[in-house]
């Protein structure tokens, strides 16, 4: 009896698009930044932080991508390093990831961390890095301010235009838990659930300072691949 071969292939479908606001930082500056107002105190023992970002400054200098500072410490900073690696710092030395450099094409970036295990992971366009152990049993302290575009060396000031962000950034969302890999992959594909409970880009208050343009762009929503039999 002849058996027909089973052919498996992936189907990916464009499910539509949604309009989202985006921030454009056009030039080097020590006065342009955006403050994000958190929806709950940032007393964190775990988090997932995601954003969509594009810049042409990679390998030219350090680039600040996200800065959360209290009165005494850089509680959580995300950086593009001079050598192209991506990193995040929590009140001290960083954890670094050797990944493809950020470019002019929009990249979806997520970082996750859990205090109990110390596991720190980075995602680029839904692809997961290796795990690293970082700041086990640490807690991110509340009471600070979150800045996009600048690295505050004091509570809100002492900016250096040679470290500021130049490019486009949007869809900055944060959760106080580590999201499953599959959920992060869905967010990369444009899914709008689950909503961030620390920052939800669609509803979080943004306070614009200096030369920052706010525009509306279309975010494509892609159905995740499914295996089909033929």
């Amino acid at each position: 009896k002849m058996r027909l071969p089973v052919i498996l292939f992936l189907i990916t479908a464009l499910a539509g698009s949604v309009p989202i606001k985006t921030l454009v930082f056009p030039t080097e500056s020590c006065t342009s930044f955006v403050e994000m107002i958190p929806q709950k105190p940032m007393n964190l023992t775990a988090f997932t932080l995601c954003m969509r970002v594009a810049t042409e400054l990679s390998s030219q200098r350090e680039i600040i991508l996200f800065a959360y500072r209290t009165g005494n410490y850089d509680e959580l900073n995300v950086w593009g390093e001079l050598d192209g690696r991506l990193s995040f710092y929590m009140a001290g030395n960083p954890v670094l990831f050797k990944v493809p450099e950020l470019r002019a094409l929009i990249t979806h970036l997520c970082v996750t961390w859990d205090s109990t295990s110390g596991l720190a992971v980075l995602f680029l366009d839904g692809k997961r890095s290796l795990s690293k152990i970082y700041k086990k049993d640490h807690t991110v302290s509340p009471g600070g301010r979150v800045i996009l575009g600048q690295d505050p060396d004091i509570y809100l000031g002492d900016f250096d235009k040679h470290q500021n962000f130049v490019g486009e950034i949007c869809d900055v969302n944060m959760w106080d838990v580590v999201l499953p890999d599959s959920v992060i992959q869905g967010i990369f594909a444009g899914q709008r659930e689950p909503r961030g409970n620390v920052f939800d880009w669609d509803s979080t208050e943004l306070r614009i300072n200096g030369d920052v343009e706010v525009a509306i762009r279309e975010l494509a929503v892609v159905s995740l691949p499914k295996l089909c039999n033929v």
Side-chain angles (χ1 to χ4, degrees):
K1 188 176 181 179
M2 182 178 293
R3 301 178 65 90
L4 295 176
V6 176
I7 301 174
L8 298 178
F9 65 96
L10 291 173
I11 291 181
T12 302
L14 183 64
S17 64
V18 294
I20 62 169
K21 59 183 175 289
T22 190
L23 305 175
V24 179
F25 296 80
T27 60
E28 288 191 342
S29 166
C30 59
T31 58
S32 300
F33 66 94
V34 175
E35 182 177 1
M36 299 184 69
I37 308 303
Q39 298 173 181
K40 62 185 298 185
M42 294 182 65
N43 185 29
L44 303 174
T45 56
F47 64 79
T48 301
L49 172 64
C50 294
M51 65 189 75
R52 300 181 194 273
V53 60
T55 181
E56 294 182 320
L57 290 179
S58 295
S59 298
Q60 297 181 32
R61 61 172 175 80
E62 298 172 323
I63 313 164
I64 187 68
L65 302 175
F66 179 94
Y68 171 49
R69 184 177 176 88
T70 58
N72 298 317
Y73 296 105
D74 292 327
E75 288 289 337
L76 173 57
N77 282 9
V78 182
W79 285 90
E81 301 286 347
L82 179 61
D83 62 6
R85 289 183 294 177
L86 295 176
S87 66
F88 65 92
Y89 294 67
M90 294 192 300
N93 294 328
V95 58
L96 298 121
F97 296 89
K98 188 175 182 180
V99 293
E101 294 181 9
L102 299 176
R103 299 292 188 185
L105 299 178
I106 294 285
T107 297
H108 188 249
L109 165 65
C110 294
V111 292
T112 70
W113 170 79
D114 175 73
S115 176
T116 301
S117 64
L119 284 179
V121 176
L122 183 143
F123 291 78
L124 277 188
D125 288 343
K127 296 180 180 179
R128 186 186 193 277
S129 75
L130 78 173
S131 301
K132 297 194 174 185
I133 304 300
Y134 179 63
K135 294 282 185 175
K136 194 172 182 179
D137 299 323
H138 178 73
T139 299
V140 177
S141 297
R145 300 175 83 167
V146 171
I147 300 296
L148 301 178
Q150 299 284 351
D151 171 35
D153 290 329
I154 57 176
Y155 186 55
L156 185 60
D158 195 18
F159 299 144
D160 180 352
K161 72 176 184 178
H162 300 299
Q163 292 181 326
N164 83 307
F165 178 77
V166 179
E168 182 176 349
I169 189 167
C170 66
D171 211 17
V172 182
N173 296 283
M174 190 175 196
W175 298 258
D176 62 358
V177 296
V178 174
L179 296 179
D181 293 9
S182 60
V183 173
I184 292 174
Q185 290 161 358
I187 294 167
F188 158 63
Q191 296 179 15
R192 307 308 288 166
E193 300 288 342
R195 299 299 221 185
N197 64 347
V198 180
F199 293 110
D200 175 1
W201 187 247
D202 292 339
S203 60
T204 291
E205 179 184 353
L206 302 179
R207 296 178 181 174
I208 311 296
N209 296 267
D211 185 16
V212 182
E213 295 296 326
V214 182
I216 301 297
R217 60 171 291 236
E218 292 293 315
L219 175 65
V221 180
V222 179
S223 296
L224 293 181
K226 297 181 179 179
L227 282 173
C228 294
N229 295 336
V230 175

